[in-house]
Amino acid sequence: MKSFVYQATPSRVVFAAGAVEHLPREIEWLGARRALVLSTPQQEALATNISQRLGQLSVGIYPRAVMHVPIEVARKARDEAARLGADCVVAAGGGSTVGLGKAIALESGLPILAIPTTYAGSEMTPIYGLTEAGLKKTGRDRRVLPRVVIYDPLLTIDLPVAMSITSGFNAIAHAAEALYAENANPITGMMAEEGIRALTHGMTEVANNPGDLDGRSDCLYGAWLCGAVLGSTSMALHHKLCHVLGGTWNLPHAETHTAILPHALACNYAAAPEAMARIERAMKTSNAAGGIFDLAKQLGASVSLREIGMKQDDLDRAASLVMEAPYYNPRPTTRATIRGLLDDAFFGRRP
Ligand code: NAD
């Protein structure tokens, strides 16, 4: 066996249909008494409901989270948390809301209790992102790792099917890259394979019947595992491509992951045979790249960058930006390889 370092991400996880009922108990477990509840404007009703459940343990709601955490939004939320004397934040929503919680925690050190309602997996990582002057910067800091995560599949029943599917592929992308990460290890390998298996099964169930609680539970369980492996391994070419496309052209996050993943896997296929074999076993497919592409199409997701707002004229610049500060990748890449990959993803060609 190769030698390795495994960094656990020590969160307390409470997983059950109806688990949100345990919220007051979990706030008390944190030793907190003054929770500020965060959400996006679209999920304000959820934030209000959670604040009501908390009663005197809540100091109010802040329903202003937006995607990619603009620094101005982060500053206002930090000020509000300080003004209200909050001693913890409850982030109820997807990666954007968890991201706002992380921006508060990064400066104040306040503990985060996350209640994820998508499958993005951010709640299990010490990775934060902040956008300033049109540039998204990411970093790692243990202060931003949520201390408690409440996974309640009932809260994801209303996540629209299209978003459920792309969000699921976002999570699968974390696991796929963890399998061939520079610091991959046997523990993250097991979690990644199980996460991909659970999501593949869960997404198919959800596409057939969005109200299916077992399917929703499988997706959320898979999201947990995939998020956890993202949190303890480093990212590679796929995430680099998505960060460039999302940060510079503001393409939708989960949709970008869905369109890029088959091509990133095709690019790395020969260089990471063990990882590909594990993805294939988890998905019951004979080719990891083609299997991901086919499943995305079958579940109704967009598989081309042009469908989600990318312009063909910008592909040259995107390839240059990826090459400017490349991440580790199992297959060393050239600009021509990246440009070809982007072309395939732009037109949605089956790898
Ligand atoms: P999101 O949080 O932006 O949510 C998208 C929309 O769906 C929002 O309007 C939200 O309110 C709504 N929504 C969420 N859950 C819902 C539900 N159950 N029912 C109805 N509507 C619901 O989307 P996302 O894909 O979860 O997060 C994307 C962001 O997360 C990006 O900024 C990305 O960079 C970040 N992210 C970070 C990490 C990390 O480790 N730091 C990991 C993954 C994603």
Side-chain angles (χ1 to χ4, degrees):
M1 185 184 287
K2 277 194 334 196
S3 51
F4 61 88
V5 172
Y6 170 62
Q7 174 63 59
T9 47
S11 301
R12 171 176 163 96
V13 172
V14 180
F15 193 111
V20 74
E21 282 171 22
H22 300 308
L23 190 53
R25 180 190 79 192
E26 295 304 316
I27 293 286
E28 281 170 12
W29 183 86
L30 275 175
R33 306 203 55 79
R34 299 180 61 80
L36 177 63
V37 184
L38 311 175
S39 74
T40 60
Q42 294 82 357
Q43 290 184 289
E44 184 170 349
L46 174 66
T48 303
N49 175 293
I50 282 174
S51 180
Q52 284 166 353
R53 282 175 186 277
L54 284 171
Q56 293 195 335
L57 292 173
S58 167
V59 291
I61 67 168
Y62 193 77
R64 305 258 181 283
V66 289
M67 200 174 280
H68 302 314
V69 200
I71 188 73
E72 307 74 36
V73 175
R75 287 193 184 119
K76 284 188 184 150
R78 287 166 178 166
D79 289 349
E80 188 64 358
R83 188 184 72 77
L84 292 167
D87 62 4
C88 77
V89 289
V90 174
S96 298
T97 303
V98 174
L100 183 59
K102 289 177 171 183
I104 295 173
L106 184 64
E107 271 211 342
S108 64
L110 290 185
I112 303 172
L113 184 153
I115 308 177
T117 62
T118 70
Y119 310 129
S122 176
E123 67 282 353
M124 289 308 294
T125 82
I127 304 166
Y128 63 88
L130 282 168
T131 304
E132 189 162 10
L135 274 185
K136 184 167 179 176
K137 291 183 192 149
T138 60
R140 284 181 188 251
D141 194 307
R142 289 217 200 158
R143 277 178 303 179
V144 310
L145 177 73
R147 305 260 187 94
V148 178
V149 181
I150 295 184
Y151 283 108
D152 187 340
L154 288 172
L155 297 181
T156 67
I157 297 270
D158 62 350
L159 184 66
V161 169
M163 220 186 288
S164 304
I165 302 308
T166 53
S167 185
F169 280 110
N170 183 184
I172 287 179
H174 303 330
E177 292 229 304
L179 284 167
Y180 57 62
E182 199 174 12
N183 52 358
N185 61 70
I187 307 302
T188 53
M190 279 191 300
M191 292 166 81
E193 187 175 338
E194 172 67 354
I196 296 172
R197 185 206 61 74
L199 272 157
T200 304
H201 182 254
M203 288 195 298
T204 308
E205 299 288 305
V206 166
N208 289 333
N209 177 8
D212 181 63
L213 189 57
D214 284 342
R216 293 288 182 185
S217 300
D218 274 358
C219 287
L220 210 47
Y221 165 63
W224 163 23
L225 295 172
C226 294
V229 295
L230 174 69
S232 34
T233 56
S234 55
M235 296 172 264
L237 176 65
H238 168 82
H239 280 80
K240 177 70 195 182
L241 285 159
C242 294
H243 288 167
V244 165
L245 295 173
T248 305
W249 287 279
N250 205 23
L251 295 191
H253 183 81
E255 289 85 341
T256 306
H257 274 271
T258 308
I260 290 288
L261 186 59
H263 305 286
L265 294 185
C267 175
N268 282 331
Y269 199 86
E274 273 180 40
M276 299 302 158
R278 293 189 85 157
I279 297 169
E280 286 158 4
R281 191 163 62 194
M283 295 187 66
K284 299 194 176 76
T285 181
S286 57
N287 182 282
I292 295 268
F293 182 90
D294 293 343
L295 184 66
K297 268 198 114 162
Q298 183 199 319
L299 300 180
S302 300
V303 289
S304 72
L305 291 177
R306 67 175 165 182
E307 282 174 88
I308 59 169
M310 190 66 187
K311 299 275 176 293
Q312 196 173 2
D313 285 350
D314 290 328
L315 296 181
D316 280 335
R317 182 154 172 250
S320 301
L321 287 173
V322 170
M323 290 309 292
E324 259 175 31
Y327 295 178
Y328 159 85
N329 196 54
R331 173 184 169 188
T333 48
T334 61
R335 191 180 176 287
T337 314
I338 301 297
R339 183 63 183 83
L341 186 164
L342 284 168
D343 209 63
D344 289 340
F346 181 80
F347 289 105
R349 298 185 189 111
R350 186 182 187 281

